[in-house]
Structure formats: structure tokens, C-alpha cells
Amino acid sequence: PHCSGLGYVIPDVPPVHPDFGRAVACQCRAVEREMARMDRLMKLSQLGALQDCTFDSFLPEGHGLTPARQRNLRLAFERARDFAREPEGWLLLKGGYGCGKTHLAAAIANYRLSLGHPVLFVNTPDLLDHLRAAFAPGSSNSYDQRFEQVRNAPLLILDDLGTQSNTEWAQEKLYQIFNYRYNAKLPTVITTNEELESVEIRIRSRMVD
């Protein structure tokens, strides 16, 4: 009704107006632009099959847990939800397999994406594989580009820390990422099954501060 399908309109403004005579995007394109923007954010986030993991779909009381474990899970749920609303500092979710760490981490990412904020959610072994692949001839992204994308992500969520191969190269790359984000005060979420004592000491010092 506004642009007859052209996608652009000439505003009806006086000659002194800065938009006089200029074609501007019609409001009918706003939905398309927003959908394209959200699609770019989702591709950047690397959430994939975890797009349905939200706070609403999480069961904060768990299944058949003792009262003490229920309290722990409820506390983790509330802390994660608070962090999603205002991501500041770092959040470390530690626990055994199947306790809901990845779901809560993905819920944080999906909540931020729903507000239009960029998030990089990545499995730690996959992250290191992506960085290694950037060294290969013909890679679409250079190593420097990929490393900077991770290091400077407005919100970085590293899932399954400790499941990667602990080579010297892997430890060094993770420390560089952690140390940079620590010094830059960039919000970061980490999930791990590992006991903290088994995490490389330089990385652990950044995680627990």
C-alpha cells in the first residue's frame, strides 16, 4: 500500500528536509530486514539444534532429585536467567553429564538473540577444530578473522570445556581467549564436567576469579 511493491518510497517532505528527493526503504521491508538480521545472528551463534532450549522449556525442579539437588538446580536456573537479562562478568556452570548445563547455556543465548543481541555459542572442541581448519589452504576465513571473532564476541558461550584434546596448542589458544576476555571484561559463559583442579592453572585462574 505504500510503495506498490518497489520496496522504496520518496518521502513527502519539504525541500529543506535532508530526505527530500531521496529514496528510502519502505516500512514493508522492515520485517524482511529484521528476519534477515535474526538469521545472521542465529548463524553466528552456532546454536543449531539447541534453538528450542529456552528457560520456559527447562524444568528447574529436575526429575527425581533429592531436595538438596533440587535447590542446586533451581539456583543454577535463577543465576542463568539473571545473567541472560544482564550479562556482566563470567558465569561458570559445572556439573555431571545430563544435569542441564548445556540447556541453560543455550537458553541464555536464545534469550539474548530474541532481544536482537549477538551471541557466539560454541562447543569447545568444535571451536578448536574451526581454528585449526582456518590454517588450511583455501579456507573461507583466515585464522586471524576467526580468532578475533571468538575473542571479541559481545557474549561468548563455551560449552563442554575439558572435552577437547589438551595439546599445548589447544591450551595456549584457550588461554589467549580467556585472558583477552578477562582483561577486556567481556561477558562469558562456560560449562564443564571437569573438576576445577584438573583445568590448566592459567585458565582456571581466570575462571574462578
Side-chain angles (χ1 to χ4, degrees):
H2 302 288
C3 66
S4 301
L6 291 175
Y8 297 91
V9 295
I10 305 294
D12 183 14
V13 293
V16 295
H17 194 281
D19 286 337
F20 179 76
R22 292 177 54 203
V24 298
C26 178
Q27 65 189 46
C28 70
R29 292 290 173 91
V31 174
E32 293 178 18
R33 289 197 303 270
E34 181 61 18
M35 289 178 64
R37 188 173 75 91
M38 292 303 296
D39 186 56
R40 288 194 301 270
L41 288 174
M42 189 59 70
K43 287 178 179 176
L44 171 66
S45 73
Q46 301 183 19
L47 275 165
L50 299 176
Q51 295 178 33
D52 295 330
C53 290
T54 65
F55 291 112
D56 288 338
S57 63
F58 189 82
L59 298 177
E61 308 308 325
H63 292 286
L65 299 179
T66 64
R69 288 183 178 272
Q70 281 187 344
R71 285 194 297 272
N72 283 346
L73 189 60
R74 166 62 70 173
L75 177 61
F77 172 80
E78 292 173 354
R79 290 286 177 88
R81 189 176 54 186
D82 291 345
F83 186 92
R85 291 169 177 162
E86 192 171 350
E88 291 184 359
W90 289 21
L91 179 67
L92 172 62
L93 299 170
K94 188 181 85 69
Y97 291 101
C99 69
K101 302 183 303 297
T102 295
H103 188 133
L104 286 178
I108 293 171
N110 284 315
Y111 180 85
R112 298 304 297 173
L113 286 171
S114 73
L115 299 179
H117 300 295
V119 179
L120 180 58
F121 179 104
V122 64
N123 177 272
T124 305
D126 290 347
L127 165 64
L128 295 169
D129 285 346
H130 292 160
L131 291 177
R132 288 190 194 95
F135 287 114
S139 173
S140 58
N141 290 320
S142 71
Y143 168 81
D144 288 340
Q145 286 176 321
R146 290 199 179 191
F147 192 67
E148 284 304 303
Q149 182 188 57
V150 175
R151 210 165 62 156
N152 287 297
L155 173 57
L156 175 65
I157 301 178
L158 278 177
D159 191 35
D160 271 346
L161 178 73
T163 58
Q164 75 280 352
S165 297
N166 283 324
T167 63
E168 288 187 16
W169 182 87
Q171 297 283 16
E172 188 62 29
K173 294 302 117 183
L174 286 174
Y175 173 70
Q176 288 173 355
I177 292 168
F178 278 41
N179 191 56
Y180 181 89
R181 297 185 65 81
Y182 176 87
N183 290 330
K185 295 181 172 58
L186 292 170
T188 306
V189 178
I190 304 153
T191 78
T192 184
N193 300 309
E194 297 287 298
E195 294 300 328
L196 293 179
E197 292 74 16
S198 65
V199 177
E200 199 268 342
I201 188 168
R202 296 177 303 166
I203 296 174
R204 183 171 75 234
S205 72
R206 295 294 179 255
M207 289 169 59
V208 301
D209 185 6

